[in-house]
Amino acid sequence: MKRRLLAARVFLLPIIPLVFFGVVLRQWPALAIAQSGVSDDVKHDTPGQIIKPGQSVHIDVDLALVNVTVTDPYDRLVTGLEPDNFRIFENSVEQEIQYFSSEDVPISIGVIFDLSGSMANKVDKAREAASQFFKTANPQDEFFLVSFNDRAELMSDFTSSVEDLQSRILSAPAKGRTALLDAIYLGLTQMRTARNGKRALLIMSDGGDNNSRYTEKDIKRLVREAGTQLYSVGIFDPLANRSRTPEELSGPSLLSEVTELTGGRSFSVENINELPDIAAKIGAELRNQYILGYRPSNKLHDARWRKIKVKLRAPKGLPPLSVYAKTGYYAPSL
């Protein structure tokens, strides 16, 4: 599939506000300026236009970009919505949606793969799921691979060769303890070298941490700052069969909490045969998101946490829809 790049010289991270000083956005895919005909809505007075391929847009103000996933009651992706179907609020103040895209763009993705001893009877199916996820890749995507057991290790730096990643996963045994939080930290650190503006981590683990240096509080703070979506596949034993250590019992909630902060999602699996389908589903979701852009009405650079809420003004006739988006961001400090 042919796709167009968003190129910028400064840290182009999805979902967080960015300060541009004469930065040029080039060839943003179908980047539309949104307008609303609803009279009681936040004002929409930006001249309407479509940014055509090859055309440049000079932006000299803060710009916040938010990735949004929309699903129906059966958890199927909802595509085809328009800018007027969305409303976005920052600290309960409605913002003007000025930029909108629903096209596939290149993604930088890190796979965080659990090779601890508790995965020994699940690791083959997890490898199959990772392979299924890699099959959703497009030519301009890039991937890296972090594995973890007693410690987190970067098994492969960014590459477009999914075959190389698959061979590295296949050759590694499952043993040792679980340094999950350290692995997430390593993944987010590695993501700083990504070349694409859209970034995501996929965590494949049976949850729980019993060997990390970093704490849950450390990771949640870093996740809020990183501008990277997190998805997780929690490969859990049935509740009646789970060990009763506090770490393993808290595994599902830990994965859910860190992913929800970023607008990603956590999928729990008890039947390991479902793993490949869920991995493919996450890959498809990453390529069928909406991107909303706005200039925050609060111009202060106070480094404070600002809550984001995306609401839908769904077309008539659709069932209740669910929206997934980042819960907030830290304002710039300068």
Side-chain angles (χ1 to χ4, degrees):
M1 179 185 299
K2 183 177 179 181
R3 299 177 302 167
R4 308 178 184 90
L5 283 171
L6 171 64
R9 294 182 59 192
V10 297
F11 0 89
L12 182 55
L13 303 179
I15 322 176
I16 65 173
L18 311 168
V19 182
F20 291 84
F21 298 96
V23 173
V24 179
L25 299 185
R26 305 181 190 277
Q27 294 186 323
W28 180 257
L31 194 59
I33 300 289
Q35 298 185 95
S36 174
V38 180
S39 59
D40 60 352
D41 205 357
V42 64
K43 75 169 186 175
H44 291 252
D45 54 7
T46 305
Q49 62 175 339
I50 299 293
I51 308 305
K52 299 177 181 179
Q55 182 180 353
S56 298
V57 181
H58 294 267
I59 299 180
D60 301 295
V61 294
D62 293 353
L63 176 67
L65 299 177
V66 182
N67 294 337
V68 180
T69 299
V70 182
T71 61
D72 70 7
Y74 297 97
D75 206 31
R76 298 174 299 194
L77 295 172
V78 176
T79 59
L81 297 178
E82 300 295 335
D84 282 348
N85 297 131
F86 295 91
R87 301 174 72 185
I88 191 163
F89 298 80
E90 182 178 295
N91 284 350
S92 301
V93 177
E94 187 161 8
Q95 307 294 308
E96 180 184 3
I97 298 175
Q98 295 174 304
Y99 300 97
F100 177 87
S101 174
S102 57
E103 291 194 16
D104 189 6
V105 297
I107 312 176
S108 296
I109 300 173
V111 175
I112 313 297
F113 197 84
D114 190 345
L115 285 173
S116 64
S118 59
M119 285 284 292
N121 65 335
K122 312 164 191 171
V123 71
D124 287 341
K125 214 61 178 176
R127 290 177 177 134
E128 182 183 338
S131 296
Q132 198 68 30
F133 178 75
F134 291 139
K135 288 179 182 178
T136 67
N138 287 324
Q140 292 169 312
D141 293 339
E142 60 175 359
F143 296 86
F144 68 83
L145 175 64
V146 169
S147 67
F148 64 97
N149 41 41
D150 290 329
R151 63 186 182 89
E153 176 184 359
L154 180 64
M155 295 187 74
S156 173
D157 204 340
F158 275 114
T159 179
S160 58
S161 172
V162 296
E163 294 81 7
D164 180 57
L165 297 177
Q166 289 171 327
S167 65
R168 290 175 184 270
I169 290 176
L170 287 172
S171 63
K175 61 181 180 179
R177 305 190 75 188
T178 309
L180 171 59
L181 296 175
D182 286 357
I184 296 173
Y185 183 92
L186 178 57
L188 292 173
T189 302
Q190 179 67 16
M191 193 61 77
R192 294 171 183 167
T193 65
R195 71 167 185 256
N196 295 320
K198 186 170 183 178
R199 304 171 181 187
L201 290 184
L202 172 62
I203 304 163
M204 304 189 70
S205 174
D206 58 359
D209 185 293
N210 56 27
N211 209 51
S212 284
R213 292 180 301 144
Y214 292 98
T215 66
E216 191 172 328
K217 183 178 180 180
D218 294 333
I219 297 305
K220 287 181 179 178
R221 171 77 191 198
L222 185 60
V223 161
R224 288 187 177 102
E225 297 173 342
T228 298
Q229 280 190 289
L230 272 64
Y231 282 81
S232 68
V233 180
I235 311 164
F236 306 120
D237 292 324
L239 186 58
N241 298 336
R242 287 181 202 168
S243 301
R244 292 297 172 177
T245 65
E247 295 87 357
E248 289 173 307
L249 289 175
S250 67
S253 62
L254 171 61
L255 292 176
S256 179
E257 288 171 15
V258 296
T259 56
E260 286 176 6
L261 285 171
T262 70
R265 293 206 282 165
S266 180
F267 296 85
S268 295
V269 179
E270 293 187 358
N271 181 353
I272 61 173
N273 293 316
E274 297 174 356
L275 278 173
D277 287 344
I278 289 178
K281 179 177 182 177
I282 293 173
E285 181 167 316
L286 283 168
R287 302 177 196 289
N288 287 278
Q289 293 178 321
Y290 301 92
I291 303 176
L292 311 181
Y294 69 95
R295 299 183 180 100
S297 57
N298 183 351
K299 305 301 183 184
L300 294 177
H301 288 186
D302 55 10
R304 291 179 177 273
W305 177 256
R306 298 181 184 176
K307 293 181 180 180
I308 291 176
K309 180 70 174 179
V310 177
K311 296 182 180 181
L312 280 180
R313 188 190 291 115
K316 292 182 179 179
L318 289 183
L321 303 178
S322 298
V323 180
Y324 302 90
K326 187 178 177 77
T327 60
Y329 68 91
Y330 286 104
S333 58
L334 298 176

